[in-house]
Amino acid sequence: MRKTLFLAVLLLSVFAAFSQVEIRHFKVQYDSCRVNFNKAKYDLSANWLEDNLPSAKLKQKDYIYWDMNNLLARCYVKQGKTEKAQGHFLETINYYDKSLVKDMKYHQNHFSALINLAYLYFNLKDYDKAEQYYFRAFTLKKEHVGEKNPDYLTLMNNVAVIYNIEGKNSKADSMYTKLANLKAAVYSENSAEYINTIYNKANLYKNTGRFVDAEPLYVKVVNFRKVNPGERSPDYMYAYKHLGELYAAQRRYLDAEPVFLKLVDLNRLEYGEKHKEYTEALNNLGSLYISMEKYADAEKIYLQVADIRKNTLGKNHIDHAAALSNLAFLYRKMSKYIQSEKYYKRALDIYDDNVGKKHNSYVVTLVNLASLYREMGRFLDAETRYHKASDIYVETIGKNNIEYAGLLNNMALFYTELGKYDQAENLYKQSLDITQVIQG
């Protein structure tokens, strides 16, 4: 009896020792899996996780299983397997929703699943669901670490961005205001963190037509970034560009012109005359001159951009096509229709050769060419191209899209001018219905 008991104890001890070795080996393998994920070896990580996830609960406590479950979901995101990713994130969230008790309201696996699922929905442009899960993570983090924690402040910003995208402007404004106050308390008003929020708030005001409210915020951002990180930094130049755009939107051209001229000089000094940022700065100045009806100045600039892109990228590059499209638009404004047609057609050929007829740049240029023909009185040519653009949009992006609604509106205007009022009315109605669905 004693020998039997001794043997049983010995076997149990050996089994326990073996289990601990097994657990350590399992952890080493899991660490290797995480390393592979961090090295972007997502297939290797996913394969190991799929093989070992079912047995994870037998080898360690639940939190390891759910940590692995989250990592597998992240692998699926990287692999483009969004439905599988959603399922695993939701599995983790549902588990912790049910299991967390009053004395443990926060768990990192729970929070991680909420954040990653929100980010996934954001990238899928499902902003309602992204808002839902960001807000849950936001609330959870606030309860766990308080309002002045950097992670909490980052989540506040993410929620504000989603409100902004969804057109919930009042909520976005309120969130940015609260976030600015918190950052002022945590970092001070003379900090990049605070200024970044002021910048976002200025952009919100500019995009919603609150120009008077936006201007002092932009000025504050520009003055800060002029010193930190400096005039030739992208942060300064982008903020300064937005201030110039604000002036232009208010038709304060005398205020806008020196801004865009300075940006041309700064980009030339920072990047050189062959760089894309420099040609973009020239384009912005050219666009301003069109608004000011300084067409000769705009033409000189657009020709310069076209030459730079042709010489640096080649005559068949899509950026060169974009430069030709800008020239075509300018010549259309100047009523130089033959030149405008020439450049639109050349741009279309380049887009067709490089990205195909289903690409948005091709379709937009095709619509612009149709509008040119409408202005020239070449109505059959215009109608043919409007319908071709419409067919491409329906095939590629579908009917419930703001770009398609805009095209229908242009076509309705075209038929109105031809006196075909029944067709125009039908198209106006379709455009309005689509816009209302999109805007909710």
Side-chain angles (χ1 to χ4, degrees):
M1 179 69 179
R2 288 181 181 178
K3 287 184 178 180
T4 303
L5 182 60
F6 175 76
L7 181 60
V9 172
L10 180 62
L11 286 171
L12 284 172
S13 299
V14 170
F15 181 77
F18 176 77
S19 296
Q20 291 300 316
V21 170
E22 187 181 38
I23 288 170
R24 284 196 295 272
H25 180 65
F26 183 80
K27 285 182 176 181
V28 169
Q29 288 183 313
Y30 183 39
D31 287 342
S32 177
C33 174
R34 295 174 69 89
V35 169
N36 283 332
F37 179 86
N38 292 332
K39 290 182 176 180
K41 296 179 179 180
Y42 306 121
D43 292 344
L44 278 176
S45 293
N47 290 340
W48 186 87
L49 288 163
E50 287 169 343
D51 290 342
N52 289 276
L53 191 62
S55 62
K57 282 187 178 180
L58 302 176
K59 298 178 184 298
Q60 187 53 276
K61 295 180 180 178
D62 279 352
Y63 75 86
I64 291 292
Y65 173 83
W66 295 110
D67 189 67
M68 290 173 62
N69 197 53
N70 277 347
L71 186 60
L72 180 57
R74 292 171 66 195
C75 287
Y76 287 148
V77 171
K78 296 296 185 180
Q79 293 174 319
K81 300 175 182 178
T82 54
E83 289 188 11
K84 283 189 173 183
Q86 290 174 52
H88 281 272
F89 284 137
L90 285 169
E91 186 184 6
T92 301
I93 291 167
N94 292 335
Y95 169 78
Y96 282 104
D97 282 347
K98 294 175 182 177
S99 66
L100 292 179
V101 292
K102 290 183 179 180
D103 60 340
M104 190 180 71
K105 295 181 180 180
Y106 179 91
H107 195 287
Q108 183 60 35
N109 284 338
H110 189 211
F111 176 76
S112 177
L114 289 168
I115 282 293
N116 283 298
L117 184 59
Y119 186 68
L120 174 61
Y121 284 134
F122 181 84
N123 287 332
L124 293 172
K125 297 185 178 180
D126 189 342
Y127 299 121
D128 286 338
K129 286 184 179 177
E131 177 189 343
Q132 173 189 343
Y133 287 100
Y134 265 131
F135 197 83
R136 284 191 61 186
F138 165 77
T139 304
L140 197 65
K141 183 63 76 170
K142 179 181 177 180
E143 292 175 353
H144 183 60
V145 297
E147 287 188 330
K148 294 184 178 181
N149 180 274
D151 290 340
Y152 174 76
L153 298 179
T154 299
L155 286 170
M156 279 191 75
N157 183 72
N158 292 343
V159 173
V161 167
I162 292 175
Y163 285 151
N164 195 354
I165 292 172
E166 291 181 305
K168 298 178 179 179
N169 300 323
S170 179
K171 284 188 173 182
D173 185 15
S174 177
M175 189 69 77
Y176 280 135
T177 299
K178 183 176 180 180
L179 183 58
N181 291 336
L182 285 171
K183 284 189 173 182
V186 174
Y187 302 109
S188 88
E189 292 189 9
N190 192 35
S191 67
E193 290 80 6
Y194 172 79
I195 289 297
N196 290 342
T197 299
I198 294 299
Y199 183 44
N200 290 336
K201 191 173 181 180
N203 288 334
L204 172 67
Y205 288 162
K206 179 171 79 76
N207 294 334
T208 54
R210 294 175 59 180
F211 301 138
V212 174
D213 294 324
E215 184 175 355
L217 299 182
Y218 275 133
V219 170
K220 188 170 189 175
V221 173
V222 167
N223 288 338
F224 177 89
R225 292 183 176 177
K226 185 176 183 179
V227 178
N228 182 17
E231 279 191 327
R232 286 168 57 174
S233 69
D235 285 347
Y236 172 81
M237 288 191 275
Y238 287 141
Y240 200 39
K241 182 186 78 169
H242 284 140
L243 179 60
E245 291 172 347
L246 181 71
Y247 291 147
Q250 298 175 85
R251 299 185 178 182
R252 292 167 54 184
Y253 300 131
L254 295 180
D255 291 323
E257 186 176 11
V259 172
F260 288 116
L261 283 168
K262 182 177 179 179
L263 284 168
V264 168
D265 288 338
L266 289 173
N267 278 281
R268 178 177 55 80
L269 291 170
E270 182 64 19
Y271 301 110
E273 293 186 358
K274 295 180 180 181
H275 197 278
K276 185 174 182 177
E277 293 292 343
Y278 175 70
T279 57
E280 285 299 322
L282 285 172
N283 273 336
N284 292 332
L285 181 60
S287 179
L288 176 68
Y289 284 147
I290 290 176
S291 298
M292 298 172 72
E293 298 184 357
K294 297 173 68 172
Y295 297 133
D297 291 330
E299 182 181 17
K300 180 181 178 182
I301 288 170
Y302 281 157
L303 285 170
Q304 182 183 356
V305 171
D307 285 342
I308 292 171
R309 291 184 175 176
K310 179 180 178 181
N311 293 331
T312 57
L313 303 171
K315 64 180 182 179
N316 293 318
H317 195 279
I318 58 173
D319 285 351
H320 183 235
L324 296 179
S325 292
N326 287 338
L327 272 169
F329 176 75
L330 170 63
Y331 288 134
R332 181 177 151 199
K333 295 285 289 184
M334 299 170 72
S335 299
K336 294 183 177 182
Y337 296 131
I338 302 303
Q339 288 170 278
S340 180
E341 180 186 14
K342 170 188 171 183
Y343 285 117
Y344 275 138
K345 284 186 170 181
R346 178 64 186 129
L348 281 172
D349 288 341
I350 296 171
Y351 286 133
D352 189 14
D353 290 342
N354 283 272
V355 293
K357 290 183 173 66
K358 295 181 180 181
H359 193 275
N360 188 60
S361 296
Y362 180 90
V363 184
V364 169
T365 306
L366 186 65
V367 172
N368 288 335
L369 180 60
S371 298
L372 171 67
Y373 286 148
R374 189 187 80 205
E375 292 177 15
M376 296 172 71
R378 292 170 57 178
F379 300 124
L380 182 58
D381 289 329
E383 185 175 29
T384 300
R385 283 156 181 82
Y386 276 135
H387 281 286
K388 183 178 179 181
S390 175
D391 291 342
I392 296 172
Y393 269 152
V394 170
E395 182 183 353
T396 56
I397 61 176
K399 293 184 177 181
N400 291 324
N401 188 284
I402 197 66
E403 291 173 330
Y404 180 68
L407 172 59
L408 293 179
N409 192 71
N410 284 337
M411 292 173 69
L413 178 62
F414 168 68
Y415 284 121
T416 299
E417 292 174 352
L418 293 181
K420 297 183 178 181
Y421 300 118
D422 289 343
Q423 287 173 271
E425 182 181 6
N426 181 48
L427 290 167
Y428 277 131
K429 186 176 184 303
Q430 287 183 57
S431 177
L432 181 61
D433 289 345
I434 293 168
T435 303
Q436 287 177 339
V437 168
I438 293 171
Q439 294 179 348

